[in-house]
Amino acid sequence: MTKPENPPRERVLTELRSAYERGASIRTLAATTGRSYGSVHSMLRESGVAMRGRGGPNHRSHPR
């Protein structure tokens, strides 16, 4: 049995960047690719994407 080949790194970077720029969260990308949050974050930074600020449905910009 042969090990399945991983897609080339450049292709993965391009796909992650494209999905992130369309609005996907790092957590969503990590879950759908089977990679860790940290590796997806690092790959996005490596790809040169403009990182969004922290946010989400539970994010509050003012203290309680």
Side-chain angles (χ1 to χ4, degrees), residues 8 11 16-17 24-25 45 56-57 62:
R11 191 174 94 199
L16 287 173
R17 179 181 179 144
S25 71
R45 290 185 56 97
H62 59 284

Side-chain angles (χ1 to χ4, degrees), residues 9 13 16 26 30 33-44:
R9 185 170 179 83
L13 291 175
L16 287 173
I26 296 174
T33 62
R35 291 177 160 77
S36 70
Y37 179 98
S39 70
V40 170
H41 185 270
S42 295
M43 292 174 86
L44 287 171

Side-chain angles (χ1 to χ4, degrees), residues 6-25:
N6 292 326
R9 185 170 179 83
E10 288 301 317
R11 191 174 94 199
V12 173
L13 291 175
T14 301
E15 290 172 359
L16 287 173
R17 179 181 179 144
S18 177
Y20 184 78
E21 288 176 337
R22 288 191 315 268
S25 71

